[in-house]
Amino acid sequence: MPVTALILRAPGTNCDEETAYAFELAGAQTQRVHVRQLLEEPGICKHSQILCLPGGFSYGDDIASGRILGDQLRRQLADTLREYRAANKLILGICNGFQVLIKCGLLFDDFEQSPATLAWNESGRYRDAWVNLRVQPGPCVFLRGLTEFPLPYAHGEGRFVARSPEVLAELARRGQLALCYAPGESKNVAARGDAHSEGGDLSVKLDFPDNPNGSQANVAGVCDSTGRVFGLMPHPERYITRTQHPCWTRGAGTEPGSGLAIFQNAVAAVG
């Protein structure tokens, strides 16, 4: 039976087609569904094994990025989403989708209060460029077999901030700080310190542009305690072929692009 990925969109979502294409390259069937259709027919979820909230500017990012769609899911579809996750299905949030996952509580529902949020970039500006990423030990099924790879990012509110140093340490202990920004290849890692070296020193924060938003512990992506719900700020769907790399004409990049592995891992985990 083929794997089906449900791509949930809302007014302002603009990465749903690219995300669907990435899942299709990974071997899944896809269905793009507007949130209002899901509100009318929650049973649509039963026919998929992967739910993805793609990037964009849901509801224009009014109030805060992902806040309106997150509240809508939390208030009107909470039971549906909990049942979805309890059935050992996968949930992926990319950029705005990551913001939505935090706002609706799906990532951290085993905490009494939300342990973290995504705040404005330290620069106070929207930024888009490429970053190097490193996978941290933990249960995240989307990152299996990956170690270090580049992806593009594009966001204004991507700075991961934990409620307290103790909460940050607990999330790290659980392996939920699944993906972190890493020094670029041109950097002298030994000279500036590496927060992602063996043992992972969370007290060492990388500078811009390696850490593009000022995230605590250089966090770029977080999973829930099961590893089956995952949100990340960079865009894997924007690097699934070599020609999407900005320097591909000079021999850089890989075929396929490193972002495709995230979608392939998801399909393999439920296939």
Side-chain angles (χ1 to χ4, degrees), residues 199-213:
D201 181 2
L202 298 180
S203 67
V204 180
K205 189 172 79 171
L206 298 175
D207 298 326
F208 180 86
D210 293 333
N211 180 336
N213 49 42

PDB file of all heavy atoms in Angstrom, residues 199-213:
ATOM      1  N   GLY A 199      29.909  15.442  22.587  1.00  0.00           N
ATOM      2  CA  GLY A 199      29.442  15.883  23.898  1.00  0.00           C
ATOM      3  C   GLY A 199      28.522  17.076  23.816  1.00  0.00           C
ATOM      4  O   GLY A 199      27.710  17.282  24.699  1.00  0.00           O
ATOM      5  N   GLY A 200      28.612  17.900  22.748  1.00  0.00           N
ATOM      6  CA  GLY A 200      27.665  18.989  22.514  1.00  0.00           C
ATOM      7  C   GLY A 200      27.583  20.015  23.628  1.00  0.00           C
ATOM      8  O   GLY A 200      26.714  19.966  24.472  1.00  0.00           O
ATOM      9  N   ASP A 201      28.484  20.975  23.655  1.00  0.00           N
ATOM     10  CA  ASP A 201      28.476  22.019  24.678  1.00  0.00           C
ATOM     11  C   ASP A 201      27.411  23.046  24.326  1.00  0.00           C
ATOM     12  O   ASP A 201      27.600  23.882  23.446  1.00  0.00           O
ATOM     13  CB  ASP A 201      29.867  22.657  24.753  1.00  0.00           C
ATOM     14  CG  ASP A 201      29.940  23.736  25.818  1.00  0.00           C
ATOM     15  OD1 ASP A 201      28.933  23.949  26.513  1.00  0.00           O
ATOM     16  OD2 ASP A 201      31.000  24.353  25.952  1.00  0.00           O
ATOM     17  N   LEU A 202      26.284  23.025  25.035  1.00  0.00           N
ATOM     18  CA  LEU A 202      25.181  23.924  24.720  1.00  0.00           C
ATOM     19  C   LEU A 202      25.473  25.369  25.090  1.00  0.00           C
ATOM     20  O   LEU A 202      24.742  26.274  24.698  1.00  0.00           O
ATOM     21  CB  LEU A 202      23.910  23.463  25.444  1.00  0.00           C
ATOM     22  CG  LEU A 202      23.380  22.078  25.067  1.00  0.00           C
ATOM     23  CD1 LEU A 202      22.119  21.767  25.860  1.00  0.00           C
ATOM     24  CD2 LEU A 202      23.097  21.977  23.579  1.00  0.00           C
ATOM     25  N   SER A 203      26.530  25.615  25.865  1.00  0.00           N
ATOM     26  CA  SER A 203      26.830  26.980  26.295  1.00  0.00           C
ATOM     27  C   SER A 203      27.518  27.785  25.205  1.00  0.00           C
ATOM     28  O   SER A 203      27.644  28.998  25.325  1.00  0.00           O
ATOM     29  CB  SER A 203      27.712  26.944  27.551  1.00  0.00           C
ATOM     30  OG  SER A 203      28.992  26.410  27.250  1.00  0.00           O
ATOM     31  N   VAL A 204      27.986  27.147  24.149  1.00  0.00           N
ATOM     32  CA  VAL A 204      28.707  27.835  23.080  1.00  0.00           C
ATOM     33  C   VAL A 204      27.743  28.127  21.936  1.00  0.00           C
ATOM     34  O   VAL A 204      27.276  27.222  21.256  1.00  0.00           O
ATOM     35  CB  VAL A 204      29.887  26.988  22.562  1.00  0.00           C
ATOM     36  CG1 VAL A 204      30.612  27.734  21.445  1.00  0.00           C
ATOM     37  CG2 VAL A 204      30.834  26.664  23.692  1.00  0.00           C
ATOM     38  N   LYS A 205      27.413  29.397  21.756  1.00  0.00           N
ATOM     39  CA  LYS A 205      26.499  29.778  20.682  1.00  0.00           C
ATOM     40  C   LYS A 205      27.281  30.332  19.513  1.00  0.00           C
ATOM     41  O   LYS A 205      28.129  31.200  19.669  1.00  0.00           O
ATOM     42  CB  LYS A 205      25.485  30.823  21.169  1.00  0.00           C
ATOM     43  CG  LYS A 205      24.385  31.076  20.147  1.00  0.00           C
ATOM     44  CD  LYS A 205      23.285  31.970  20.703  1.00  0.00           C
ATOM     45  CE  LYS A 205      23.689  33.421  20.693  1.00  0.00           C
ATOM     46  NZ  LYS A 205      22.556  34.319  21.019  1.00  0.00           N
ATOM     47  N   LEU A 206      26.987  29.830  18.319  1.00  0.00           N
ATOM     48  CA  LEU A 206      27.653  30.310  17.125  1.00  0.00           C
ATOM     49  C   LEU A 206      27.186  31.725  16.790  1.00  0.00           C
ATOM     50  O   LEU A 206      26.094  32.141  17.144  1.00  0.00           O
ATOM     51  CB  LEU A 206      27.345  29.381  15.948  1.00  0.00           C
ATOM     52  CG  LEU A 206      27.806  27.929  16.077  1.00  0.00           C
ATOM     53  CD1 LEU A 206      27.322  27.129  14.883  1.00  0.00           C
ATOM     54  CD2 LEU A 206      29.317  27.852  16.185  1.00  0.00           C
ATOM     55  N   ASP A 207      28.037  32.445  16.087  1.00  0.00           N
ATOM     56  CA  ASP A 207      27.716  33.802  15.657  1.00  0.00           C
ATOM     57  C   ASP A 207      27.006  33.776  14.307  1.00  0.00           C
ATOM     58  O   ASP A 207      27.023  32.776  13.580  1.00  0.00           O
ATOM     59  CB  ASP A 207      29.002  34.629  15.533  1.00  0.00           C
ATOM     60  CG  ASP A 207      29.721  34.771  16.860  1.00  0.00           C
ATOM     61  OD1 ASP A 207      29.042  34.836  17.898  1.00  0.00           O
ATOM     62  OD2 ASP A 207      30.972  34.800  16.856  1.00  0.00           O
ATOM     63  N   PHE A 208      26.382  34.893  13.949  1.00  0.00           N
ATOM     64  CA  PHE A 208      25.851  35.083  12.612  1.00  0.00           C
ATOM     65  C   PHE A 208      27.028  35.112  11.635  1.00  0.00           C
ATOM     66  O   PHE A 208      28.065  35.706  11.954  1.00  0.00           O
ATOM     67  CB  PHE A 208      25.080  36.411  12.557  1.00  0.00           C
ATOM     68  CG  PHE A 208      24.498  36.710  11.214  1.00  0.00           C
ATOM     69  CD1 PHE A 208      23.256  36.211  10.859  1.00  0.00           C
ATOM     70  CD2 PHE A 208      25.202  37.476  10.292  1.00  0.00           C
ATOM     71  CE1 PHE A 208      22.716  36.482   9.608  1.00  0.00           C
ATOM     72  CE2 PHE A 208      24.673  37.746   9.049  1.00  0.00           C
ATOM     73  CZ  PHE A 208      23.427  37.243   8.705  1.00  0.00           C
ATOM     74  N   PRO A 209      26.965  34.511  10.468  1.00  0.00           N
ATOM     75  CA  PRO A 209      25.792  33.899   9.837  1.00  0.00           C
ATOM     76  C   PRO A 209      25.638  32.399  10.099  1.00  0.00           C
ATOM     77  O   PRO A 209      24.683  31.807   9.601  1.00  0.00           O
ATOM     78  CB  PRO A 209      26.056  34.150   8.353  1.00  0.00           C
ATOM     79  CG  PRO A 209      27.544  34.034   8.237  1.00  0.00           C
ATOM     80  CD  PRO A 209      28.098  34.653   9.506  1.00  0.00           C
ATOM     81  N   ASP A 210      26.593  31.776  10.829  1.00  0.00           N
ATOM     82  CA  ASP A 210      26.452  30.337  11.075  1.00  0.00           C
ATOM     83  C   ASP A 210      25.165  30.031  11.827  1.00  0.00           C
ATOM     84  O   ASP A 210      24.467  29.061  11.524  1.00  0.00           O
ATOM     85  CB  ASP A 210      27.654  29.822  11.881  1.00  0.00           C
ATOM     86  CG  ASP A 210      28.952  29.882  11.088  1.00  0.00           C
ATOM     87  OD1 ASP A 210      28.876  29.817   9.850  1.00  0.00           O
ATOM     88  OD2 ASP A 210      30.021  29.987  11.700  1.00  0.00           O
ATOM     89  N   ASN A 211      24.870  30.833  12.840  1.00  0.00           N
ATOM     90  CA  ASN A 211      23.585  30.772  13.535  1.00  0.00           C
ATOM     91  C   ASN A 211      22.809  31.995  13.053  1.00  0.00           C
ATOM     92  O   ASN A 211      23.032  33.109  13.536  1.00  0.00           O
ATOM     93  CB  ASN A 211      23.803  30.809  15.054  1.00  0.00           C
ATOM     94  CG  ASN A 211      22.515  30.739  15.844  1.00  0.00           C
ATOM     95  OD1 ASN A 211      21.453  31.086  15.354  1.00  0.00           O
ATOM     96  ND2 ASN A 211      22.613  30.308  17.089  1.00  0.00           N
ATOM     97  N   PRO A 212      21.884  31.822  12.117  1.00  0.00           N
ATOM     98  CA  PRO A 212      21.321  32.986  11.420  1.00  0.00           C
ATOM     99  C   PRO A 212      20.311  33.792  12.215  1.00  0.00           C
ATOM    100  O   PRO A 212      19.967  34.910  11.818  1.00  0.00           O
ATOM    101  CB  PRO A 212      20.652  32.363  10.197  1.00  0.00           C
ATOM    102  CG  PRO A 212      20.255  30.997  10.647  1.00  0.00           C
ATOM    103  CD  PRO A 212      21.369  30.561  11.574  1.00  0.00           C
ATOM    104  N   ASN A 213      19.811  33.254  13.332  1.00  0.00           N
ATOM    105  CA  ASN A 213      18.749  33.948  14.057  1.00  0.00           C
ATOM    106  C   ASN A 213      19.025  34.140  15.545  1.00  0.00           C
ATOM    107  O   ASN A 213      18.248  34.777  16.238  1.00  0.00           O
ATOM    108  CB  ASN A 213      17.424  33.201  13.882  1.00  0.00           C
ATOM    109  CG  ASN A 213      17.575  31.710  14.149  1.00  0.00           C
ATOM    110  OD1 ASN A 213      18.239  31.298  15.089  1.00  0.00           O
ATOM    111  ND2 ASN A 213      16.965  30.890  13.311  1.00  0.00           N
TER     112      ASN A 213
END
